[in-house]
Amino acid sequence: MELNQARVFVEPQQGMSYGQLLAMARTAEAAGFGAFFRSDHYLKMGDVSGLPGPTDAWITLAGLARDTERIRLGTLVTSATFRLPGPLAIAVAQVDEMSGGRVELGLGAGWYQAEHEAYGIPFPALGERFDRLEEQLEVITSLWAAPVGETVDVSGTHYPVQGSPGLPKPAQSPRPPILIGGGGKRRTPMLAARFADEFNLPFGSTDSFATQIERVNAACRTIDRDPGELCHSAALVACVGQTEAEFVERARRIGRAPDELRGAGICGLPDEVRAGIDRWTAAGADRIYFQLLDVDDLEHVALLAEIISAG
């Protein structure tokens, strides 16, 4: 795998200030990674303090758009329950312009009920969340695709749009790449086939990845879309050491057992990491999002880049 197909992925809701985000994004950029992505959550998970508290994904990406130069930026993934599609289309287009055309939009149905309860965000049943996600994708892509000077109407149960100017337009043409992910057997593959440029499966096995990719490819064929048009990616926890002692210490700092990490992601010593990347590319992964959980370990970012480049 080329380094420009490797992406750094962080979880700021676990406790990460903008300064820490920026330091890691700049380190990833200097190391040669292709992209820096963040989760979109408002509440910590597990036994961590969460301090200094959550950050808003698109506000921080706007800052990173101005404070970085080359690296691509995006969400894995924005929850459709958090935002209305019209304002989200405006925000993403603005951040795309601010970055010089380096933004990608990951969008999902939302799943973490506790964060919705913690911040007063409605959390519909799963079927309705997918209905809303589908309508959001329809609205956002329609607003971006409309020629300048023409208005947009989109019928829908949840987000009907009437007479929208569809402005502003993103810097990228025809639009920023859209990423859709997940393990759903029916609606997720169909939404990916209709709307996505990239399909992502987070934290699965190579077998589940290959199975889900075939579902997505089959969904593409049902609408006469070439499955080869989609990029396929995986998100995996990464924890790496030059020595066993270094790996064990990094595992300790993120509260994970070394043996558990070796079975759950791309973790261990350099040869193990390279072998893991080879397994995932053989399973069909065009790119990998490396989830880095120690937000202050910038040396870890540089080491991972060195290992990938040497592979």
Side-chain angles (χ1 to χ4, degrees):
M1 174 172 288
E2 298 294 328
L3 187 56
N4 63 6
Q5 293 299 322
R7 299 182 157 198
V8 170
F9 169 47
V10 297
E11 304 270 8
Q13 78 279 353
Q14 300 301 91
M16 195 173 192
S17 68
Y18 179 74
Q20 290 170 308
L21 266 169
L22 177 59
M24 186 163 277
R26 283 178 167 168
T27 301
E29 182 172 66
F33 283 97
F36 181 80
F37 271 55
R38 58 155 293 161
S39 60
D40 190 1
H41 286 294
Y42 289 133
L43 188 69
K44 70 183 181 68
M45 302 165 194
D47 187 22
V48 296
S49 72
L51 293 174
T55 54
D56 182 272
W58 286 99
I59 289 175
T60 56
L61 288 173
L64 294 176
R66 303 299 296 164
D67 289 341
T68 59
E69 297 179 357
R70 176 198 58 81
I71 199 164
R72 297 190 66 79
L73 304 165
T75 50
L76 197 66
V77 295
T78 286
S79 174
T81 57
F82 290 172
R83 298 167 179 87
L84 299 173
L88 180 59
I90 291 171
V92 176
Q94 285 183 309
V95 179
D96 196 42
E97 189 273 332
M98 293 164 71
S99 71
R102 293 185 283 124
V103 160
E104 304 185 14
L105 172 62
L107 191 63
W111 63 269
Y112 189 20
Q113 184 171 351
E115 71 185 336
H116 293 74
E117 295 170 347
Y119 288 96
I121 303 168
F123 188 70
L126 180 62
E128 182 179 331
R129 296 202 307 276
F130 267 91
D131 291 342
R132 288 177 177 271
L133 172 61
E134 184 171 2
E135 284 193 27
Q136 289 219 2
L137 288 162
E138 187 70 49
V139 169
I140 291 168
T141 56
S142 296
L143 293 176
W144 286 344
V148 174
E150 295 186 10
T151 59
V152 180
D153 295 327
V154 182
S155 61
T157 302
H158 303 286
Y159 309 108
V161 170
Q162 295 182 359
S164 173
L167 298 174
K169 302 302 184 191
Q172 295 176 83
S173 180
R175 56 169 172 76
I178 291 176
L179 181 152
I180 293 173
K185 295 181 180 180
R186 184 178 63 87
R187 295 194 71 177
T188 297
M190 284 306 301
L191 290 175
R194 284 185 60 197
F195 296 105
D197 301 284
E198 178 178 344
F199 177 80
N200 178 271
L201 186 70
F203 312 115
S205 66
T206 52
D207 287 344
S208 63
F209 179 80
T211 297
Q212 189 68 344
I213 292 304
E214 182 46 45
R215 292 189 185 114
V216 172
N217 291 345
C220 287
R221 290 189 287 268
T222 65
I223 61 171
D224 295 324
R225 182 180 182 186
D226 179 3
E229 293 177 1
L230 268 76
C231 173
H232 302 136
S233 63
L236 299 160
V237 63
C239 184
V240 185
Q242 286 279 31
T243 66
E244 184 69 16
E246 187 175 273
F247 166 59
V248 169
E249 174 57 20
R250 283 202 164 101
R252 183 195 67 78
R253 292 206 299 263
I254 62 173
R256 304 282 287 272
D259 289 345
E260 180 262 329
L261 282 172
R262 279 189 159 108
I266 295 185
C267 303
L269 303 184
D271 286 348
E272 294 175 278
V273 171
R274 285 189 283 266
I277 292 171
D278 289 343
R279 283 195 303 273
W280 279 94
T281 55
D286 300 307
R287 61 175 58 129
I288 296 174
Y289 293 76
F290 294 89
Q291 183 199 48
L292 301 181
L293 295 172
D294 187 342
V295 300
D296 293 313
D297 192 353
L298 302 182
E299 292 181 359
H300 194 202
V301 181
L303 173 60
L304 182 59
E306 180 182 324
I307 292 169
I308 296 168
S309 296

